[in-house]
Structures are given as C-alpha cells and as structure tokens.
C-alpha cells in the first residue's frame, strides 16, 4: 500500500491575489452586495410600507439568479470575461440605484430585484471563470479558497456598513452602499 506524496509547496495567497487583483475586488464587492440584499431586503421593504411577505418575495426575486447562472455560464466566453465583469458591475449599480423609486411600485421592485440579480450573476460567473481559466490543477484549491475568503470579508463588511448606514440614513441607507 503506497501513500501519496504531499507536496511541500506553500501557497502564496498574496501573490495569487495580486495576479487576479480585479477578480478579487469584484468578488469582495459581489459578496458585499449579495449578502446585503439577502439580509436587509425585508427590513428595507417593511420600512417602505411593504408587508413582510411581499418584502420576502423580493429576496426570492433576487434569488432567481440561480436560473441566470446556468444561462450566463453557457453564454459567456473566456476572452471577454473582464468586460462581462465590468458590464455586470455597472448594470447592478444602475439597477439598484432605481430601488428607492421602484420600491413604491411592487411589481417594478420585483423587476429591479430580478434584473439586479442577473447582473450579480453575470459578475459572479465571470469572476469564477476568469480566475479558474488556464490554472494548474494544483493551484485551483488555493485560488478558490482565497477567493472565498475575500468574498467572506465582503459579506462581513457589507453587513456592518449597511447596518450603520441604515441607522444614520434610515431605510435608504440600504441602497447607499
């Protein structure tokens, strides 16, 4: 019985992050935005006159990104990934900036959440594909664990910042981030 030999190489997380800096920034912002949407939508909806049930449905509208993931993964190509990330970022920024007006028309708010989710999905799939494209198999675990850690930091900071913004600016602090 032969034991597999483990490599002694240590992962250089800082070098990995430097090499894929834009993708790691995008992942930080993605998780910052995505977790904020999931955690604070119901509070935001309640503060803007929606019932808890209707505010919860907005979260479900955002979660339709699961359908988008499949379509976007099939649609994108590896040559234009940074363009997809940029397009997704600006599309999400524009879409979410409409929310303070859309929240007063329930069906428009659902549309904003769906479109916003699709832009988030475009960024997420593009970032994951870009970082994993043309990598050695031995580096994939290191790269993806670093990407996950950066995403966790984005989720943490997003949650803290929106909590503070909503204390200062009331409900609209939610969309200021």
């Amino acid at each position: 019985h032969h034991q597999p030999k483990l490599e002694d190489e240590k992962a250089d997380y800082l070098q990995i992050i430097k090499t894929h800096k834009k993708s790691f920034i995008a992942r930080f912002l993605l998780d910052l935005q995505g977790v904020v949407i999931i955690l604070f939508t119901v509070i935001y909806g309640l503060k803007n006159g929606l019932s808890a049930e209707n505010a919860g449905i907005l979260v479900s509208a955002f979660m339709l990104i699961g359908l988008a993931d499949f379509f976007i993964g099939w649609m994108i190509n590896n040559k234009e990934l940074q363009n997809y990330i940029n397009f997704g970022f600006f599309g999400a920024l524009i879409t979410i900036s409409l929310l303070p007006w859309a929240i007063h028309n329930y069906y428009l708010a659902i549309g904003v959440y769906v479109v916003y989710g699709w832009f988030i999905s475009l960024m997420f799939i593009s970032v994951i594909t870009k970082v994993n494209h043309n990598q050695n198999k031995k580096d994939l675990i290191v790269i993806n664990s670093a990407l996950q850690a950066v995403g966790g930091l984005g989720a943490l900071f997003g949650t803290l910042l929106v909590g503070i913004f909503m204390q200062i600016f009331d409900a609209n602090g939610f969309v200021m981030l």
Side-chain angles (χ1 to χ4, degrees):
H1 186 292
H2 178 25
Q3 291 286 337
K5 194 174 188 179
L6 298 176
E7 294 183 28
D8 290 329
E9 290 182 35
K10 290 187 179 183
D12 188 354
Y13 285 99
L14 291 177
Q15 184 57 42
I16 291 168
I17 292 171
K18 285 178 187 175
T19 302
H20 301 285
K21 184 176 13 179
K22 289 180 183 177
S23 295
F24 277 89
I25 291 169
R27 180 62 194 261
F28 177 86
L29 294 173
L30 271 168
D31 283 27
L32 184 145
Q33 295 168 344
V35 170
V36 162
I37 286 290
I38 294 167
L39 293 179
F40 289 96
T41 286
V42 174
I43 296 169
Y44 181 71
L46 290 171
K47 288 186 174 248
N48 279 284
L50 296 179
S51 68
E53 294 81 13
N54 285 346
I57 289 172
L58 293 177
V59 175
S60 296
F62 172 75
M63 294 307 292
L64 286 173
I65 62 177
L67 297 174
D69 287 352
F70 173 75
F71 175 73
I72 289 168
W74 173 74
M75 178 190 79
I76 64 173
N77 65 49
N78 291 329
K79 294 179 184 162
E80 300 173 5
L81 291 170
Q82 188 61 50
N83 291 339
Y84 290 128
I85 294 168
N86 295 341
F87 181 70
F89 178 78
F90 288 111
L93 185 64
I94 290 166
T95 305
I96 201 66
S97 69
L98 300 173
L99 190 57
W101 295 278
I103 196 69
H104 303 292
N105 179 323
Y106 184 63
Y107 295 106
L108 186 58
I110 288 175
V112 165
Y113 271 83
V114 169
V115 172
Y116 179 73
W118 283 55
F119 280 122
I120 293 291
S121 181
L122 177 62
M123 285 190 294
F124 180 76
I125 297 298
S126 299
V127 165
I128 297 296
T129 303
K130 183 177 181 201
V131 169
N132 285 293
H133 189 66
N134 291 330
Q135 295 297 327
N136 295 325
K137 285 184 181 181
K138 69 179 181 76
D139 295 334
L140 289 177
I141 293 173
V142 173
I143 289 168
N144 284 293
S145 63
L147 201 60
Q148 197 65 15
V150 168
L153 288 174
L156 175 67
F157 283 108
T159 304
L160 293 173
L161 288 173
V162 168
I164 292 167
F165 283 13
M166 286 183 85
Q167 288 294 315
I168 296 169
F169 302 106
D170 200 30
N172 285 325
F174 171 71
V175 293
M176 292 178 81
L177 192 59

